[in-house]
Amino acid sequence: MAYDKELAAAIKAASLAARLCRKVQKALLQSDVRSKHGRNKSPVTVADYGSQALVSFVLQQEFPGEFSLVAEEDSNDLRKDGGGEIVERITKLVNESLTSDGSYGVSLSSEDVLKAIDSGKSEGGSQGRHWVLDPIDGTKGFVRGDQYAVALALLDRGNIVLGVLACPNLPLTSISVAHPHSPNNEVGCLFFAEVGRGTYMQPLDGSSTVKVQVSAVENPEEASFFESYEAAHSMHDLSSLIAQKLGVKAAPIRMDSQVKYGALSRGDGAIYLRFPRNGYREKIWDHAAGSIVVTEAGGVVTDAAGKQLDFSEGKYLDLDTGIIVSNQKLMPLLFAAVGASLAQKSKPQP
């Protein structure tokens, strides 16, 4: 089954959201950063909410019938006392984005925007179609001025069938440990993939689309690997042990968000390791778009036991230990190194 219309709408929605996010990041004010309730108190910005409202609105305009969105944000904090000013700012940003696009000819009220944000409360599951959105994946990177992504995927009867990663700060040319920035300062990539049709990359302005493939590296000594920038998001010591057992010589490339999946899909590195701390449960919006972008580019995405990621069980991914990503040739060696490293770490220390 082709998903051409859905993919076109997803690219449009993610591109608009990425432009809004880029605008906010350039003029990031302290007042734009709020704190989510909960244990981590992770920062959330007007861009997270604005991005979710935009994507939700565009998808509902393109598919006005049955609509289901599984997304990270809701309007609870915004509706509390003192939230009026930030809601006005979000509404202004969303309307400016829609006006610049010119497709819809509408002006949304603050309540329209809050309702659009709250349309992301679906639980997902194995029946029907569900859009899966992380409006800003890598909020901490966003606040620091580093990497982040607008990550949007479509789940159809439990399977991810398309994914879009808009990466406003990722250089158009390959990155590496030695050259993490584009030599000509051109940044802003969008990756998209549809099941059975490969993965493509284009600049955020939509010009010059190219098909991408994962790295063909077979020798681990020549491989480089990605991991999370934040040590709280992945155990760097375990990743280091795995790399050592593999014989990887290059230092890790540490980046926030699913940008790592995009960079890996075009061969910037050959391995991505993510091993969260015990007790952390992965959410589907943190991996849905990235996983299909990599697999359609010829890569493999599994948990530490070699099982494919299952997006059909609601908002959470139940995994064995962590997520490992690589090409077909390196995967058997990577599995062996992961298994040996996990066994070593689990042994009681003398």
Side-chain angles (χ1 to χ4, degrees):
M1 183 185 292
Y3 296 89
D4 295 356
K5 184 182 177 187
E6 290 84 352
L7 182 60
I11 290 171
K12 179 176 186 175
S15 299
L16 268 177
R19 288 201 285 274
L20 180 150
C21 295
R22 182 180 257 177
K23 184 176 183 178
V24 175
Q25 193 186 47
K26 276 186 179 174
L28 188 63
L29 305 171
Q30 197 56 38
S31 61
D32 289 336
V33 181
R34 292 172 74 83
S35 208
K36 283 186 194 176
H37 286 290
R39 202 169 46 192
N40 316 348
K41 300 230 168 156
S42 61
V44 62
T45 70
V46 293
D48 292 80
Y49 293 119
S51 172
Q52 183 156 316
L54 259 183
V55 170
S56 171
F57 174 79
V58 169
L59 293 178
Q60 287 185 77
Q61 292 298 302
E62 299 296 332
F63 304 99
E66 209 172 301
F67 178 75
S68 174
L69 176 67
V70 185
E72 184 168 15
E73 307 302 342
D74 62 53
S75 74
N76 290 348
D77 285 354
L78 297 174
R79 292 181 185 273
K80 290 176 180 169
D81 290 344
E85 188 180 330
I86 198 168
V87 172
E88 282 179 24
R89 179 149 163 68
I90 295 163
T91 303
K92 183 170 182 276
L93 280 163
V94 169
N95 281 321
E96 284 172 355
S97 300
L98 292 173
T99 300
S100 71
D101 176 66
S103 299
Y104 301 109
V106 294
S107 181
L108 303 185
S109 68
S110 292
E111 186 57 31
D112 292 334
V113 168
L114 292 172
K115 283 180 178 174
I117 293 168
D118 282 338
S119 69
K121 289 182 176 177
S122 170
E123 293 293 322
S126 60
Q127 302 301 310
R129 289 186 177 190
H130 309 280
W131 292 97
V132 180
L133 171 69
D134 195 334
I136 291 186
D137 185 29
T139 306
K140 288 184 178 177
F142 177 85
V143 171
R144 281 200 313 273
D146 288 340
Q147 297 295 339
Y148 66 97
V150 178
L152 179 61
L154 179 61
L155 186 66
D156 190 354
R157 286 166 291 183
N159 299 304
I160 300 297
V161 295
L162 67 84
V164 177
L165 287 177
C167 310
N169 288 340
L170 184 66
L172 290 169
T173 51
S174 178
I175 59 168
S176 66
V177 175
H179 303 286
H181 303 292
S182 180
N184 52 10
N185 293 321
E186 281 191 272
V187 298
C189 302
L190 184 138
F191 299 88
F192 62 90
E194 183 182 342
V195 63
R197 296 199 169 185
T199 297
Y200 296 82
M201 181 188 78
Q202 63 188 31
L204 272 179
D205 65 12
S207 60
S208 61
T209 300
V210 294
K211 192 170 188 179
V212 295
Q213 285 287 126
V214 296
S215 166
V217 167
E218 297 181 35
N219 182 352
E221 290 187 8
E222 298 168 8
S224 59
F225 74 96
F226 294 103
E227 65 178 352
S228 298
Y229 182 91
E230 299 278 344
H233 294 169
S234 191
M235 292 185 279
H236 289 168
D237 56 342
L238 177 56
S239 298
S240 177
L241 183 59
I242 293 165
Q244 182 186 331
K245 289 188 181 298
L246 265 175
V248 172
K249 293 194 176 342
I253 304 171
R254 289 179 177 159
M255 290 196 299
D256 298 280
S257 84
Q258 288 175 76
V259 169
K260 295 183 284 293
Y261 281 108
L264 194 140
S265 77
R266 70 181 186 188
D268 289 10
I271 298 165
Y272 167 29
L273 303 171
R274 182 178 170 97
F275 292 95
R277 306 281 168 188
N278 286 341
Y280 180 81
R281 290 183 78 193
E282 296 279 9
K283 288 88 169 176
I284 61 172
W285 52 70
D286 286 325
H287 300 282
S291 65
I292 191 170
V293 161
V294 165
T295 54
E296 283 296 317
V300 185
V301 182
T302 74
D303 70 9
K307 293 177 185 170
Q308 289 192 329
L309 308 190
D310 182 358
F311 294 95
S312 71
E313 295 295 322
K315 289 185 177 181
Y316 293 96
L317 286 170
D318 286 318
L319 303 166
D320 186 316
T321 313
I323 293 174
I324 57 178
V325 185
S326 190
N327 63 29
Q328 304 270 359
K329 295 281 178 63
L330 282 174
M331 212 58 173
L333 295 170
L334 184 53
F335 274 133
V338 167
S341 299
L342 288 172
Q344 184 175 325
K345 292 282 283 184
S346 66
K347 278 183 187 172
Q349 297 301 310

